[in-house]
């Protein structure tokens, strides 16, 4: 860091990488500046330069690969927003680089549990590096408010967590990499690690076993890439059991554009129930003793958000918190740890395997992979 500025390099400047550029541009007053970007796809680099101009930001240095960016000495922090299947190699190169770079890595941490575990172990040898996993749904104002409600104890002991995501299909990405499980880790890893992370937060417990049913029923069935048909599922039900007796359930549908809310989250304790609705950004809290008439409805807002972006301000808040940790303004570890990232992938992988085998899958078994 020089003169209070924190220099960011972004590896992978497709849609999400450019979203990070915009969020960081809104954090200039906090000292954030994007100094370099790397991407092997020339059109993405051109889009990044065009974006920098539109943001009235200095043009970042551009590199065709992540190693050139790391060797440049131009950044203190690296945002890894490249395709999922590239995360492992890039993260290992960052961790093993002679110059320390703090890291914000987009979800999922890696596409396999084995690779996640290798990253966790390698990072233990670099205490000079801070690593945060980009499970930013925690920061959505309505979700954050519900997390606070649960932590307050007003709902009592959490017994059930139900998360519904009804949304649009996967977007088109560069070279259609996100159409195949081998590249993404599978829909329940790629997309749903967000929700398994939230389940663990609400349950305040570790997952024990997972059961799932899912299929590819509507989307992408008429697509073909180099003679291969996409294999990513577009709907599923997932049950997760935790070691404190709490149960979680995910209801995913990716052909449900006609939904008022994309995410609906319900947390039920032995005393009360809390719900969060996104993008309405509304939270309901009710106690059993007060019945339906006593349910309180509150709009969830966060005045710190300067840019809503693609995820309702959560990416902005994610960056704001991580930047504060890097600058030493918050004496804390990164909010979303590598172990959080590993476990969210493990649950997703167990769910994918459960669909394949038609049975419950033990998380202990998955962690041996």
């Amino acid at each position: 860091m020089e003169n209070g500025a924190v220099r960011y390099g972004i590896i992978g400047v497709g849609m999400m990488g450019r979203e990070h550029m915009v969020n960081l541009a809104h954090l200039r007053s906090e000292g954030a500046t994007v100094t370099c970007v790397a991407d092997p796809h020339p059109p993405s680099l051109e889009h990044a330069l065009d974006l920098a101009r539109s943001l009235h930001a200095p043009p970042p240095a551009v590199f065709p690969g992540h190693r050139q960016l790391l060797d440049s000495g131009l950044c203190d922090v690296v945002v890894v927003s490249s395709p999922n299947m590239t995360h492992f190699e890039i993260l290992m190169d960052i961790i093993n680089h002679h110059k320390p770079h703090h890291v914000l890595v987009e979800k999922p941490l890696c596409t396999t549990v084995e690779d996640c575990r290798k990253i966790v172990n390698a990072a233990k040898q670099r205490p000079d590096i801070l690593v945060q996993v980009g499970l930013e749904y925690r920061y959505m104002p309505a979700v954050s408010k519900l997390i606070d409600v649960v932590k307050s104890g007003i709902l009592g002991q959490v017994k059930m967590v139900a998360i519904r995501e009804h949304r649009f299909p996967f977007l088109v990405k560069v070279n259609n990499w996100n159409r195949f499980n081998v590249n993404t880790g599978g829909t329940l890893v790629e997309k749903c690690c967000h929700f398994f992370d939230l389940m663990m937060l609400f349950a305040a417990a570790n997952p024990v076993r997972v059961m799932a049913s899912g299929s590819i029923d509507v989307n992408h069935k008429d697509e073909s890439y180099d003679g291969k048909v996409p294999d990513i599922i577009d709907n599923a039900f997932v049950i997760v059991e935790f070691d404190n007796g709490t149960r979680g359930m995910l209801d995913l549908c990716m052909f449900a554009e006609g939904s008022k809310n994309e995410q609906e989250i319900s947390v039920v304790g032995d005393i009360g129930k809390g719900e969060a609705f996104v993008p309405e950004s509304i939270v309901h809290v009710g106690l059993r003793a007060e019945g339906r008439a006593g349910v309180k409805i509150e709009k969830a807002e966060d005045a710190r958000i300067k840019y809503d972006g693609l995820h309702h301000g959560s990416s902005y808040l994610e960056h704001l918190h991580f930047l504060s940790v890097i600058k030493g303004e918050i004496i804390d570890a990164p909010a979303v740890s590598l172990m959080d990232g590993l476990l969210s992938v493990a649950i997703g992988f167990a769910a994918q395997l459960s669909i394949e085998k038609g049975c419950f899958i033990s998380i202990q078994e998955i962690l041996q992979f």
Side-chain angles (χ1 to χ4, degrees):
M1 291 182 283
E2 297 178 0
N3 301 320
V6 181
R7 304 173 303 162
Y8 283 78
I10 300 182
I11 298 173
V13 283
M15 183 189 71
M16 198 60 210
R18 296 195 296 274
E19 173 78 354
H20 284 296
M21 288 179 66
V22 181
N23 277 283
L24 290 167
H26 283 81
L27 285 163
R28 287 177 193 150
S29 61
E30 303 293 331
T33 179
V34 176
T35 53
C36 50
V37 298
D39 199 301
H41 187 242
S44 293
L45 290 175
E46 286 298 323
H47 290 319
L49 289 173
D50 289 343
L51 177 60
R53 283 190 286 270
S54 74
L55 294 168
H56 306 291
V62 297
F63 300 99
H66 69 277
R67 294 187 180 93
Q68 294 97 319
L69 180 146
L70 295 174
D71 289 340
S72 72
L74 292 176
C75 59
D76 312 298
V77 186
V78 176
V79 178
V80 179
S81 46
S82 55
N84 300 2
M85 68 284 191
T86 68
H87 287 188
F88 175 73
E89 179 183 354
I90 291 171
L91 288 170
M92 289 300 286
D93 285 344
I94 295 170
I95 292 168
N96 291 325
H97 200 270
H98 63 88
K99 179 187 185 300
H101 297 85
H102 302 307
V103 187
L104 173 63
V105 54
E106 266 298 334
K107 61 77 191 169
L109 175 58
C110 296
T111 57
T112 70
V113 174
E114 179 182 7
D115 284 350
C116 289
R117 188 167 58 242
K118 289 177 180 177
I119 295 296
V120 170
N121 291 333
K124 290 177 181 177
Q125 309 306 312
R126 290 301 299 265
D128 53 339
I129 294 176
L130 299 171
V131 185
Q132 174 151 322
V133 181
L135 293 164
E136 77 276 1
Y137 280 28
R138 295 178 176 210
Y139 291 96
M140 289 181 179
V143 177
S144 179
K145 175 68 175 176
L146 184 56
I147 291 170
D148 289 343
V149 167
V150 172
K151 287 183 176 180
S152 76
I154 192 174
L155 306 182
Q157 178 65 46
V158 172
K159 298 297 182 182
M160 302 179 74
V161 180
I163 300 178
R164 169 182 288 170
E165 180 171 67
H166 282 194
R167 54 162 279 170
F168 48 88
F170 280 119
L171 300 174
V172 175
K173 298 293 181 73
V174 173
N175 296 325
N176 301 291
W177 67 265
N178 64 337
R179 293 307 197 247
F180 299 96
N181 290 335
V182 68
N183 296 331
T184 67
T187 299
L188 298 178
V189 171
E190 205 291 323
K191 183 75 200 70
C192 300
C193 56
H194 278 303
F195 305 120
F196 301 135
D197 175 60
L198 293 179
M199 284 183 191
M200 289 186 287
L201 268 181
F202 290 127
N206 291 315
V208 175
R209 64 177 189 161
V210 178
M211 177 70 184
S213 173
S215 183
I216 177 169
D217 287 331
V218 176
N219 300 335
H220 317 303
K221 298 180 76 171
D222 58 350
E223 299 174 15
S224 178
Y225 306 98
D226 297 325
K228 298 178 181 178
V229 177
D231 59 357
I232 48 170
I233 65 173
D234 58 17
N235 70 98
F237 292 112
V238 182
I239 297 171
V240 184
E241 295 181 348
F242 292 90
D243 59 9
N244 64 353
T246 302
R247 289 190 302 278
M249 188 273 289
L250 172 68
D251 166 5
L252 173 73
C253 181
M254 300 189 69
F255 45 89
E257 293 92 329
S259 302
K260 185 173 184 179
N261 284 294
E262 193 169 310
Q263 289 93 25
E264 301 178 3
I265 302 174
S266 167
V267 181
V268 184
D270 55 2
I271 296 175
K273 175 182 177 180
E275 297 173 282
F277 302 89
V278 178
E280 278 188 296
S281 202
I282 291 173
V283 175
H284 295 183
V285 179
L287 303 181
R288 295 176 65 191
E290 298 177 2
R292 184 176 300 161
V295 175
K296 296 177 175 62
I297 302 175
E298 184 176 341
K299 182 74 173 177
E301 299 174 316
D302 193 318
R304 297 173 298 169
I305 296 173
K306 295 181 180 179
Y307 175 66
D308 283 338
L310 299 176
H311 299 107
H312 315 293
S314 62
S315 294
Y316 178 86
L317 294 174
E318 170 187 52
H319 274 294
L320 180 64
H321 184 272
F322 191 46
L323 180 59
S324 297
V325 173
I326 291 168
K327 293 164 65 177
E329 296 172 350
I330 299 176
I331 308 302
D332 197 3
V336 189
S337 71
L338 286 171
M339 278 304 301
D340 294 327
L342 186 157
L343 287 173
S344 69
V345 168
I347 296 174
F349 183 79
Q352 295 277 156
L353 191 59
S354 174
I355 292 171
E356 179 185 328
K357 293 191 172 183
C359 62
F360 268 104
I361 301 295
S362 162
I363 292 295
Q364 184 176 5
E365 172 190 346
I366 292 301
L367 292 177
Q368 304 307 313
F369 273 69

